[in-house]
Amino acid sequence: MAHEHKLEIFRGALKFKSNVSKIWGVFILLSIVTIIEVALGILRPEALVGNKFLAMNLLNWIFIILTIVKAYYITWDFMHMRDETVGLRRAVVWTGVFLIAYIIVLILIEGDYIYEVYKNGFIKFNF
Amino acid sequence: MEATVVKTGTEGKTWGGGNNPLKASYGKMMMWFFILSDSLTFAGFLASYGMSRFKFIDAWPIADEVFTHFPFLHGVEAPMYYVAFMTFILIFSSVTMVLAVDAGQKMQQKKVILYMFLTLIGGFVFLGSQAWEWKTFIKGDYGAVETNGRQILQFLDTDGKRVALADFAAAQTDSRVEHTNESGIWYKSEPEYKTSVSFEQVKEGFLANENLLIRLPNKDENGQHIVLSREESITKLVNDGNLVVEGANLRHNEYGHPLFADFFFFITGFHGFHVSIGVLLNLIVFFNVVIGTYERRGHYEMVEKVGLYWHFVDLVWVFVFTFFYLV
């Protein structure tokens, strides 16, 4: 089996010389992202917590986007998804992303609805 | 036998078989689809956590106030640092794992042994950290009172600082005798969950100390906990108070809503179970590398397969970290 690795990240903006140096590069990237997350989690800047975008505050948006960035690099470079064929990549990633996004949207809307019922309903339901 | 058609007449054609359009071996491809289905299980857990949280959005505990401990630093408020440490352990063990995979592809047995060993160490450190996290969470911090409506009342002094139950609860006033099989109803036993002080003692101590207030888990518009005035606090405790809660288990949770503890145990427990399985698989493959199984086989694909599983465990932790501790 040939073990060719694609050594470019950031759409080719950063090209590593060997697979090992790419691994360390991705590790540094993941560490920086984690440090940013932890720092924001401790500081909780008022400007980010106070302002909302689509019913969620900006800080939580940043956390979720950074998490997806981390997940991307773990899957693409540590799990070598970058080197797999397009067919395998789509079969795994698209299926997962679609189903997970679907359940999360439906279930969170439902949770918010029950909250409103608890809060505003004249009848207390026993859920 | 002679009647069996041995040739299909499609040899060499697209549907004749024998070609691998995905260019991945059977085992590796199935590991990918196992990971896909397992990630759906975790997504189900995290989505139901999200639903319960949205359901009780204004009474949900803030993770920063719950996980504030760091080993050997007693009394120091250190939110997030410990989980950040655990995250780094797992990411680093992922790095050594992928280095082992890389060394395996180059058939460097010695390097594979070294990197697999480091990965195992990382796995054990992570599991130990999680055990400590659980122990601290179960043991509890300040203690609280649960009302008949299962609301959690926490105690503050007038400066807004949390006060532990043991610091103000009155000395032993009730003379409760432990139930034994010999002296009571033989088929009944003491409940397993026993707290260090009784509700009566807490009530008595609270009424005697003028500077104590009650904090509700519910939050106001600014996201701050609602603190009751002294009169409201007394009414709330005397009328609604039911039992003392110390620490967390599947029924009670001193930090806030009981579902928070349930999901904590379920999600981090299920993840920890995956880590344990990963450590076990890594251990088996590690010994196979040491005795040269893959050297004789001519390739290190087993290392790649357990590597995929190990990275998946790391991937799940990234999401658990965000949705349990950060958001």
Side-chain angles (χ1 to χ4, degrees), chain B residues 275-325:
Chain B
V275 179
S276 321
I277 297 293
V279 167
L280 183 71
L281 293 176
N282 276 346
L283 203 62
I284 294 169
V285 169
F286 171 72
F287 283 124
N288 270 321
V289 176
V290 172
I291 62 176
T293 309
Y294 307 125
E295 203 67 30
R296 285 194 294 280
R297 195 177 286 177
H299 60 82
Y300 279 81
E301 207 187 82
M302 267 326 273
V303 179
E304 287 179 44
K305 282 181 234 170
V306 290
L308 280 180
Y309 181 76
W310 190 251
H311 296 310
F312 168 66
V313 166
D314 180 30
L315 188 66
V316 170
W317 180 255
V318 165
F319 283 92
V320 172
F321 175 64
T322 302
F323 292 110
F324 236 95
Y325 297 96

Side-chain angles (χ1 to χ4, degrees), chain B residues 251-278:
Chain B
R251 291 205 186 93
H252 308 284
N253 172 16
E254 71 154 63
Y255 306 100
H257 204 283
L259 276 175
F260 179 83
D262 296 344
F263 278 112
F264 176 80
F265 290 129
F266 255 103
I267 295 176
T268 63
F270 196 59
H271 176 262
F273 173 68
H274 275 76
V275 179
S276 321
I277 297 293

Side-chain angles (χ1 to χ4, degrees), chain B residues 25-45:
Chain B
S25 72
Y26 174 77
K28 218 162 129 181
M29 203 156 72
M30 287 307 116
M31 182 53 97
W32 267 115
F33 288 115
F34 165 71
I35 286 171
L36 173 62
S37 67
D38 212 19
S39 69
L40 294 177
T41 312
F42 274 105
F45 269 145

Side-chain angles (χ1 to χ4, degrees), chain B residues 145-166:
Chain B
V145 163
E146 196 178 284
T147 65
N148 292 315
R150 306 203 67 190
Q151 194 178 27
I152 288 291
L153 310 177
Q154 296 170 330
F155 298 95
L156 300 179
D157 60 16
T158 33
D159 302 332
K161 282 229 167 103
R162 292 286 303 275
V163 182
L165 291 183

Side-chain angles (χ1 to χ4, degrees), chain B residues 87-301:
Chain B
T87 309
F88 272 109
I89 292 287
L90 215 51
I91 289 180
F92 195 73
S93 82
S94 245
V95 171
T96 54
M97 186 78 234
V98 72
L99 287 171
V101 171
D102 184 74
Q105 288 170 346
K106 294 174 190 152
M107 300 297 288
Q108 298 162 324
Q109 192 188 9
K110 288 269 156 31
K111 271 191 168 176
V112 180
I113 294 175
L114 171 71
Y115 288 132
M116 285 293 292
F117 181 73
L118 290 175
T119 309
L120 279 169
I121 299 287
F124 280 118
V125 172
F126 182 84
L127 283 175
S129 310
Q130 207 166 34
W132 188 87
E133 179 97 333
W134 272 47
K135 191 210 84 180
T136 319
F137 186 70
I138 291 169
K139 189 160 145 268
D141 208 356
Y142 294 99
V145 163
E146 196 178 284
T147 65
N148 292 315
R150 306 203 67 190
Q151 194 178 27
I152 288 291
L153 310 177
Q154 296 170 330
F155 298 95
L156 300 179
D157 60 16
T158 33
D159 302 332
K161 282 229 167 103
R162 292 286 303 275
V163 182
L165 291 183
D167 293 346
F168 69 87
Q172 194 69 40
T173 47
D174 55 342
S175 53
R176 192 176 173 285
V177 182
E178 196 181 331
H179 179 98
T180 54
N181 285 356
E182 292 79 31
S183 62
I185 305 169
W186 58 272
Y187 57 82
K188 288 211 165 174
S189 51
E190 279 275 339
E192 267 181 44
Y193 185 57
K194 271 186 288 189
T195 50
S196 59
V197 289
S198 72
F199 175 63
E200 290 306 317
Q201 288 170 297
V202 170
K203 194 159 83 178
E204 205 175 308
F206 185 80
L207 295 174
N209 284 291
E210 286 294 325
N211 63 338
L212 289 177
L213 296 175
I214 279 179
R215 186 174 88 168
L216 298 179
N218 306 55
K219 284 164 231 137
D220 58 16
E221 314 80 66
N222 303 322
Q224 301 294 318
H225 288 287
I226 297 168
V227 180
L228 300 177
S229 68
R230 177 72 187 162
E231 291 73 37
E232 288 171 331
S233 298
I234 292 174
T235 331
K236 186 87 184 163
L237 185 68
V238 173
N239 292 344
D240 298 350
N242 181 31
L243 61 104
V244 170
V245 180
E246 281 172 335
N249 52 45
L250 289 174
R251 291 205 186 93
H252 308 284
N253 172 16
E254 71 154 63
Y255 306 100
H257 204 283
L259 276 175
F260 179 83
D262 296 344
F263 278 112
F264 176 80
F265 290 129
F266 255 103
I267 295 176
T268 63
F270 196 59
H271 176 262
F273 173 68
H274 275 76
V275 179
S276 321
I277 297 293
V279 167
L280 183 71
L281 293 176
N282 276 346
L283 203 62
I284 294 169
V285 169
F286 171 72
F287 283 124
N288 270 321
V289 176
V290 172
I291 62 176
T293 309
Y294 307 125
E295 203 67 30
R296 285 194 294 280
R297 195 177 286 177
H299 60 82
Y300 279 81
E301 207 187 82

